[in-house]
Amino acid sequence: MMTSLIALCSTSVSAKTHPSYLTESYCDGLVEQFVDSGMRSLGKYVNENFKPEYKGGIRNTINFLNQRAEWLGECDEYLNDTANSRIFYDDKNTKAIFDAMKELAKELQLVREGVEYPDESGTNNPRPFIKSRYETLATLVDQHHTRLLMKKQFQ
């Protein structure tokens, strides 16, 4: 009777498992790639190549943001469960960066769906709205990057 009760309790309390590829080193590399080449690529798209009429480029950028948010979110869960830390410095900054990624993807999706963004002359111009969402994300990511550099400097 006691062994069956212990067996029942041990099966009902299961620890959260994570894929074996998730390590602190993998997650650090993923963040570094996003902060460096990922944000540089995103900035180049928003500042130089964004054209509302090209739906394919918008779709690819939305997919990029969603994919990175998924990957980074998976690492964030892993780090939170195993190292009691967050992917982007702390709870507040991690939430802010994920929210900014989501808001940029949402704004791009609205452009893709044909929502009009009239400027003073009445011409459809979503560029300032997209750029503003990107700049919010870039500022938050830059703050994270600065903290990382300072942390490395004092190690």
Side-chain angles (χ1 to χ4, degrees):
M1 172 84 165
M2 188 62 142
T3 39
S4 56
L5 184 57
I6 291 171
L8 179 63
C9 287
S10 66
T11 57
S12 64
V13 178
S14 61
K16 185 169 185 176
T17 59
H18 296 279
S20 61
Y21 61 85
L22 287 177
T23 64
E24 283 190 52
S25 175
Y26 168 83
C27 291
D28 287 347
L30 187 63
V31 170
E32 192 174 310
Q33 183 277 333
F34 177 70
V35 167
D36 185 32
S37 62
M39 285 301 294
R40 194 169 45 246
S41 174
L42 194 55
K44 184 172 174 110
Y45 172 74
V46 168
N47 293 314
E48 298 174 23
N49 299 322
F50 172 71
K51 300 205 178 7
E53 60 275 12
Y54 297 132
K55 307 298 185 204
I58 296 172
R59 181 195 65 236
N60 292 343
T61 305
I62 293 167
N63 289 342
F64 171 84
L65 286 164
N66 291 338
Q67 183 183 58
R68 293 317 181 277
E70 184 180 323
W71 293 352
L72 292 164
E74 185 178 48
C75 274
D76 185 52
E77 270 187 42
Y78 170 78
L79 292 173
N80 198 25
D81 290 346
T82 61
N84 202 26
S85 65
R86 299 302 300 264
I87 194 96
F88 294 113
Y89 187 67
D90 62 14
D91 292 341
K92 179 182 171 195
N93 290 298
T94 298
K95 181 180 180 338
I97 289 173
F98 280 125
D99 286 349
M101 291 172 75
K102 186 171 114 181
E103 290 301 315
L104 177 55
K106 180 179 166 185
E107 203 76 52
L108 285 165
Q109 183 59 37
L110 291 173
V111 172
R112 189 168 177 246
E113 291 171 359
V115 172
E116 297 271 327
Y117 293 79
D119 61 16
E120 307 82 42
S121 68
T123 305
N124 182 32
N125 185 13
R127 189 167 281 106
F129 297 94
I130 298 302
K131 192 168 180 139
S132 173
R133 295 288 189 195
Y134 167 76
E135 287 172 356
T136 298
L137 175 60
T139 299
L140 292 165
V141 170
D142 189 52
Q143 289 170 357
H144 169 75
H145 189 234
T146 301
R147 284 189 184 104
L148 272 182
L149 293 174
M150 289 174 65
K151 182 179 171 182
K152 286 181 182 179
Q153 180 180 1
F154 294 107
Q155 283 182 339

